[in-house]
Amino acid sequence: MRKALQANEPLHVYNHLARLFCQQQKMDKAEDMYRTVVKKYKQRRHSWMELIAFIMQQNRHDEARHTLNRALATLPKKEHVALIRDMAILEIRRGDVERGKTLFESLLRQLPRKGELWTAFAETLAKTGHMPDARDLLARAATVRMSAKKAHGLFKRFLTLEEKCGDQSGQERVRTLAMEYLQKDAASEDVN
């Protein structure tokens, strides 16, 4: 291991070893390796998320939430939104769906114009079989005022999602929402 650490980036070596231990069902060693990574690289969000994902995979959800709180206390504020987003995605996929939705909703209340959060939330819901919730969410996102570039990206992702998981009526609904959004946006610019 010493040679590997000298010849390669130590973070990659530790993460690779942890994944190898997981594949070999040596969970104690894998957890020790993930905790070592967090100790050495505590300012990296991905280090914390690897540990949290491992803990959630072991069905220790309360411990994962406690680890999230430790990560939030350690990481700089600029990393908090991405960390909470990633935790919400993990909760929806592996933990408590309602808790994941609550985490996303709290982020959306704080940052309603961040289109990336809306699409990440909707795509996660759709991939986990909650397509009606994803549709409702994106329809709600269509009412939020945001830049034209963000709105375009949001509607484009919404349409792609409908093409993959939805039907023709859903695609038409997205096109209608996009046209209504453009008309409202044009009307508000005329007023100003």
Side-chain angles (χ1 to χ4, degrees):
M1 185 165 118
R2 264 187 251 136
K3 284 185 180 180
L5 288 171
Q6 290 172 351
N8 299 296
E9 174 66 34
L11 177 63
H12 298 300
V13 173
Y14 288 127
N15 281 329
H16 185 69
L17 281 172
R19 284 190 288 277
L20 285 175
F21 287 138
C22 284
Q23 288 174 356
Q24 296 171 353
Q25 300 298 316
K26 297 178 180 176
M27 298 307 174
D28 292 339
K29 288 184 177 184
E31 186 169 353
D32 290 342
M33 199 57 60
Y34 282 125
R35 291 194 185 281
T36 300
V37 170
V38 166
K39 277 183 192 172
K40 290 183 181 278
Y41 301 97
K42 63 181 100 192
Q43 293 301 314
R44 289 191 173 194
R45 175 176 51 90
H46 294 290
S47 301
W48 286 99
M49 282 313 303
E50 290 278 337
L51 176 60
I52 290 169
F54 173 78
I55 293 170
M56 286 196 75
Q57 196 172 19
Q58 304 300 310
N59 290 325
R60 298 173 1 220
H61 302 288
D62 290 335
E63 186 179 340
R65 293 175 194 123
H66 175 71
T67 306
L68 172 68
N69 291 334
R70 284 185 38 227
L72 289 170
T74 305
L75 290 170
K77 284 202 182 275
K78 68 180 183 178
E79 296 283 345
H80 288 193
V81 172
L83 184 70
I84 295 170
R85 180 203 60 219
D86 292 347
M87 180 65 178
I89 290 170
L90 272 176
E91 283 282 5
I92 291 172
R93 287 185 181 161
R94 296 187 185 150
D96 181 5
V97 174
E98 290 304 316
R99 186 181 289 268
K101 287 180 181 180
T102 303
L103 285 171
F104 261 123
E105 290 292 343
S106 68
L107 284 176
L108 291 175
R109 274 193 299 279
Q110 293 172 6
L111 304 163
R113 293 183 179 182
K114 195 156 175 104
E116 183 270 330
L117 288 176
W118 290 98
T119 55
F121 188 11
E123 287 174 357
T124 304
L125 288 172
K127 287 177 184 175
T128 56
H130 298 91
M131 191 61 189
D133 292 339
R135 283 188 183 111
D136 293 344
L137 179 75
L138 288 170
R140 212 173 83 210
T143 64
V144 175
R145 186 171 166 87
M146 57 182 78
S147 72
K149 185 176 181 180
K150 288 181 183 178
H152 178 266
L154 179 78
F155 285 115
K156 189 173 180 180
R157 300 273 291 272
F158 192 179
L159 186 59
T160 303
L161 195 63
E162 282 293 342
E163 288 169 353
K164 285 182 185 174
C165 305
D167 54 10
Q168 192 65 31
S169 65
Q171 294 172 29
E172 286 303 316
R173 182 173 171 229
V174 172
R175 291 185 182 101
T176 304
L177 284 171
M179 292 303 293
E180 289 172 4
Y181 185 86
L182 288 173
Q183 290 170 353
K184 278 187 205 173
D185 194 40
S188 68
E189 284 182 13
D190 290 342
V191 171
N192 294 335

